[in-house]
Amino acid sequence: AETGECQLIIEGEHRHAVFCSCFSHDGKYILNSSFDKTARLRNATDGALIRTLRHEDWVNSCAFSFDDKLMVTACKDKTVRIWDTQSGQLKHTLAGHQDSVRSSCFSADGNRVISASTDHTARIWDAKTGEVLSAFKFNHHDSAYSCDFTPHLL
């Protein structure tokens, strides 16, 4: 990263376009989401596949919690999924959006997840229980494609 030179090329395992990639905060992992209905967790040092997280439809985005213990994926099947990073176990499937979920991420404290959907809404979820805490309907004809928390406000 300091020199700008490519350190790693990951090839071959996704069968369709990769829509999102992110590093864990500790730099140990890379998480990719794809139109092939998977998210793939990899070792950031050598790109070795650690596990594949299977979904019902395209996986539009992926993110780690700030402590890297959990991962979140946003899916075209109208759901958000929370996964345990170490075991790959599905912890929660968050359902309530009426259309594709384009983006999701954790709050800085890891207690909440925000999601943005093409149903013109954003939702804030309790990451431990999967309950909806707030829902926001946008008063326009365009979809919500991205979302994030401002750490000091929540």
Side-chain angles (χ1 to χ4, degrees), residues 87-147:
S87 69
Q89 176 186 0
L90 178 62
K91 306 290 273 180
H92 294 289
T93 300
L94 311 178
H97 282 291
Q98 302 303 307
D99 206 345
S100 178
V101 183
R102 299 304 300 260
S103 180
S104 62
C105 65
F106 286 95
S107 60
D109 63 8
N111 291 326
R112 290 170 294 271
V113 167
I114 189 169
S115 58
S117 171
T118 54
D119 68 2
H120 313 288
T121 68
R123 294 174 187 263
I124 297 176
W125 311 81
D126 184 303
K128 292 181 177 28
T129 67
E131 298 296 317
V132 175
L133 300 174
S134 299
F136 306 93
K137 177 81 172 159
F138 299 109
N139 201 13
H140 57 73
H141 299 288
D142 293 329
S143 299
Y145 286 98
S146 183
C147 58

Side-chain angles (χ1 to χ4, degrees), residues 14-146:
H14 281 292
R15 293 173 298 157
H16 293 284
V18 172
F19 201 66
C20 182
S21 293
C22 62
F23 278 92
S24 59
H25 296 88
D26 63 11
K28 293 180 182 178
Y29 304 108
I30 299 170
L31 183 61
N32 301 313
S33 64
S34 172
F35 289 172
D36 69 3
K37 304 179 185 180
T38 68
R40 296 177 193 255
L41 181 67
R42 299 176 181 282
N43 180 306
T45 303
D46 62 7
L49 181 65
I50 296 169
R51 71 181 39 88
T52 300
L53 309 173
R54 302 202 181 279
H55 297 71
E56 300 298 316
D57 211 329
W58 295 354
V59 186
N60 293 316
S61 79
C62 55
F64 288 95
S65 60
F66 282 86
D67 63 6
D68 296 321
K69 291 181 179 178
L70 298 172
M71 302 173 288
V72 64
T73 54
C75 195
K76 187 180 177 195
D77 71 1
K78 307 175 190 174
T79 66
V80 176
R81 291 180 173 86
I82 299 174
W83 308 82
D84 181 271
T85 302
Q86 290 304 310
S87 69
Q89 176 186 0
L90 178 62
K91 306 290 273 180
H92 294 289
T93 300
L94 311 178
H97 282 291
Q98 302 303 307
D99 206 345
S100 178
V101 183
R102 299 304 300 260
S103 180
S104 62
C105 65
F106 286 95
S107 60
D109 63 8
N111 291 326
R112 290 170 294 271
V113 167
I114 189 169
S115 58
S117 171
T118 54
D119 68 2
H120 313 288
T121 68
R123 294 174 187 263
I124 297 176
W125 311 81
D126 184 303
K128 292 181 177 28
T129 67
E131 298 296 317
V132 175
L133 300 174
S134 299
F136 306 93
K137 177 81 172 159
F138 299 109
N139 201 13
H140 57 73
H141 299 288
D142 293 329
S143 299
Y145 286 98
S146 183

